[in-house]
Amino acid sequence: MDRRKFLKGSVLLSGLLSLSPLELWSLQKGIEQPKIGKAKNIIFMVSDGMSLGTLSMADLYSRNILGKGSHWLNLYHEKKVSRALMDTASASSIVTDSAAASSAFGGGIRVKNGVLNMGANGEKHIPIWQKFKKAGKKIGCVTTVTATHATPAGFCVNSAKRNAEPQIAEMYADLGIDVLMGGGDEFFSSDKREDKKDLYSVYREKKYQIFKNRTDLNSIKKGEKVLGIFSTGALPYTIDKNHLSEFKDTPTLAEMASVAIDQMKEHPEGFVLQIEGGKVDWAAHANDVAALIHDQLAFDEAVKTVMDFAEKDGNTLVIITTDHGNANPGTIYGSDATAHFNSISAYQYTNEYILNKIHKDFSIKDIKDWIYEGNKLILNDDEAKHLLSFYNGLEKEEGLYNYKKLPFKLYSEIQKSRNSVGWISMDHSGDYVEVAAYGPGSELLQPFIKNTDLHYLMLKASSI
């Protein structure tokens, strides 16, 4: 062995080993070292229930059909973000629900499924948005499901039951959340609440601007508190909103994100904002590929809105992730897989909308004609008869958000034979998920983390 070469190599190796992981990362060709500093603002983005297959299919659809890569994946291509895999387990299971997952982010500790920031013995863990509110920052949450749903609530409140949404609506008012937007009119309106409380009046007394549709947002007063409740229940799926005039005055997630940022960005102490694409999860529960892809792409447009602000601002930490996987969809090998997948571009509506339009008086021909109109799929008679059996009460289907017992699983199997997309289940999964971070504090992100780690990363990045 050449002794001089060996010594030279040893010195080089010792030098490399003395470097921090961040410095080693920055030595890789084409990768810039993240900006190190204190984050004045934090924007935490959650595509609820997004399996890796969902992220992949949305990017594939965007490239094949829209002619451009997704904004999230472009952040990887352009090497703008730190990236990690995250373990999403709860205190009670390797497979979390949204309440426990959001509590991991919000409270910094794993709790049992179904509760919000509450320990096994009833102890309350202070939610992170309350910590930031106390530190003088403005706080906000926007979502495509009910504003009182588990994911936004996990950043803001304590509750022994995630389904206590009427009470969570009151907790938000007590907290003084600065911007709150989403669905859930039934938890604010005196006509729909069981206790007949008029929560809108409560918020008005606390000097909130109240908005009920996209047009109303044009009259927003800068800097004042905002309550935007744009539907009963969750907001419509993106693909239905794009094709049905009845939903045209519903804001997109990107529009709500933009309004929220504009309302809080000039606050001297900064702001924190959670943005949730909640109906990605609901689409996965229904094995509804068109709903899933289009709502993931709507979330992706919100990513662009946030990144456009953060890159210009320079003082904003952006975290982009999901709380858990759901149904683990993916494309299936075959000679016509590409053409089959691309056929999803012909789908006009969600499976929910299509299946809700069928009723027991439909003939076999009626079903075949309607399915062709909605998805450009040609059913055979046996498939049409099988679908009709659900409407005649011969068969039933369960499911978390399947209140009308629609045949979501059967229909997704019919679609699978034409679009080459399969699903492992109709529920959450325990697989590791993607995390991307940009801006001051992103250098703190390690390659593999637990969901609770993001709570402490936000606190450290903002130095509170």
Side-chain angles (χ1 to χ4, degrees), residues 347-391:
Y347 293 11
Q348 298 295 302
Y349 312 111
T350 60
N351 295 355
E352 179 178 287
Y353 182 80
I354 289 171
L355 295 175
N356 264 316
K357 288 294 183 180
I358 299 173
H359 53 79
K360 64 180 181 180
D361 296 327
F362 265 41
S363 67
I364 298 302
K365 182 180 184 300
D366 290 335
I367 289 182
K368 292 169 73 172
D369 288 347
W370 172 231
I371 296 299
Y372 184 78
E373 180 181 338
N375 281 171
K376 295 297 182 287
L377 300 182
I378 299 173
L379 301 191
N380 59 45
D381 287 352
D382 286 342
E383 290 169 329
K385 287 176 184 176
H386 198 174
L387 276 175
L388 189 57
S389 69
F390 283 83
Y391 298 88

Side-chain angles (χ1 to χ4, degrees), residues 261-308:
I261 291 169
D262 284 346
Q263 285 301 104
M264 299 191 291
K265 67 183 181 183
E266 294 177 6
H267 185 58
E269 301 302 319
F271 70 88
V272 291
L273 172 65
Q274 186 214 68
I275 299 170
E276 183 202 17
K279 294 205 76 172
V280 172
D281 182 63
W282 292 29
H285 278 298
N287 286 186
D288 189 335
V289 68
L292 185 81
I293 289 174
H294 287 278
D295 263 69
Q296 181 63 34
L297 289 174
F299 179 83
D300 199 61
E301 287 303 309
V303 169
K304 181 181 187 303
T305 296
V306 167
M307 288 301 300
D308 284 349

Side-chain angles (χ1 to χ4, degrees), residues 65-366:
I65 306 304
L66 307 179
K68 60 181 182 178
S70 65
H71 300 297
W72 187 334
L73 270 293
N74 283 345
L75 294 175
Y76 294 167
H77 290 305
E78 296 166 9
K79 302 178 177 63
K80 287 185 175 181
V81 292
S82 301
R83 182 183 178 190
L85 278 179
M86 180 171 67
D87 174 356
T88 62
S90 72
S92 56
S93 177
I94 59 171
V95 183
T96 190
D97 79 329
S98 291
S102 188
S103 297
F105 303 143
I109 191 166
R110 286 181 167 173
V111 299
K112 292 181 178 180
N113 290 344
V115 305
L116 295 164
N117 299 307
M118 299 285 285
N121 299 313
E123 62 272 24
K124 295 182 178 181
H125 304 284
I126 300 173
I128 194 164
W129 267 205
Q130 290 190 25
K131 294 178 181 179
F132 282 121
K133 183 76 172 176
K134 186 176 180 180
K137 294 185 185 296
K138 288 194 173 183
I139 62 173
C141 292
V142 300
T143 180
T144 55
V145 293
T146 55
T148 47
H149 214 257
T151 302
F155 278 60
C156 299
V157 303
N158 304 90
S159 177
K161 294 182 180 179
R162 61 171 287 177
N163 293 329
E165 294 189 69
Q167 292 73 38
I168 291 169
E170 297 183 63
M171 292 178 194
Y172 286 154
D174 293 337
L175 173 59
I177 190 169
D178 294 280
V179 176
L180 181 65
M181 289 188 281
D185 178 66
E186 65 270 35
F187 305 121
F188 294 84
S189 173
S190 60
D191 295 336
K192 298 172 184 176
R193 287 177 58 104
E194 286 187 12
D195 60 11
K196 302 303 179 184
K197 286 184 181 178
D198 183 357
L199 264 288
Y200 289 120
S201 291
V202 172
Y203 278 82
R204 285 192 186 95
E205 289 172 5
K206 292 178 178 288
K207 309 301 181 184
Y208 280 81
Q209 305 172 78
I210 296 175
F211 302 102
K212 296 294 188 71
N213 55 56
R214 176 199 247 164
T215 302
D216 285 350
L217 292 174
N218 294 328
S219 61
I220 198 165
K221 295 176 182 176
K222 196 73 177 288
E224 294 187 10
K225 290 181 179 178
V226 171
L227 174 66
I229 303 298
F230 303 109
S231 68
T232 297
L235 272 59
Y237 285 107
T238 298
I239 189 172
D240 288 340
K241 192 170 78 67
N242 290 344
H243 290 98
L244 297 168
S245 59
E246 64 200 82
F247 298 134
K248 66 180 181 180
D249 210 15
T250 305
T252 66
L253 185 62
E255 289 168 341
M256 291 190 289
S258 179
V259 167
I261 291 169
D262 284 346
Q263 285 301 104
M264 299 191 291
K265 67 183 181 183
E266 294 177 6
H267 185 58
E269 301 302 319
F271 70 88
V272 291
L273 172 65
Q274 186 214 68
I275 299 170
E276 183 202 17
K279 294 205 76 172
V280 172
D281 182 63
W282 292 29
H285 278 298
N287 286 186
D288 189 335
V289 68
L292 185 81
I293 289 174
H294 287 278
D295 263 69
Q296 181 63 34
L297 289 174
F299 179 83
D300 199 61
E301 287 303 309
V303 169
K304 181 181 187 303
T305 296
V306 167
M307 288 301 300
D308 284 349
F309 166 76
E311 290 187 85
K312 183 178 179 181
D313 176 69
N315 297 305
T316 300
L317 168 63
V318 179
I319 298 171
I320 311 168
T321 189
T322 181
D323 50 352
H324 52 75
N326 189 342
N328 287 29
T331 49
I332 302 166
Y333 179 80
S335 58
D336 296 320
T338 302
H340 284 178
F341 178 80
N342 290 349
S343 72
I344 297 169
S345 63
Y347 293 11
Q348 298 295 302
Y349 312 111
T350 60
N351 295 355
E352 179 178 287
Y353 182 80
I354 289 171
L355 295 175
N356 264 316
K357 288 294 183 180
I358 299 173
H359 53 79
K360 64 180 181 180
D361 296 327
F362 265 41
S363 67
I364 298 302
K365 182 180 184 300
D366 290 335

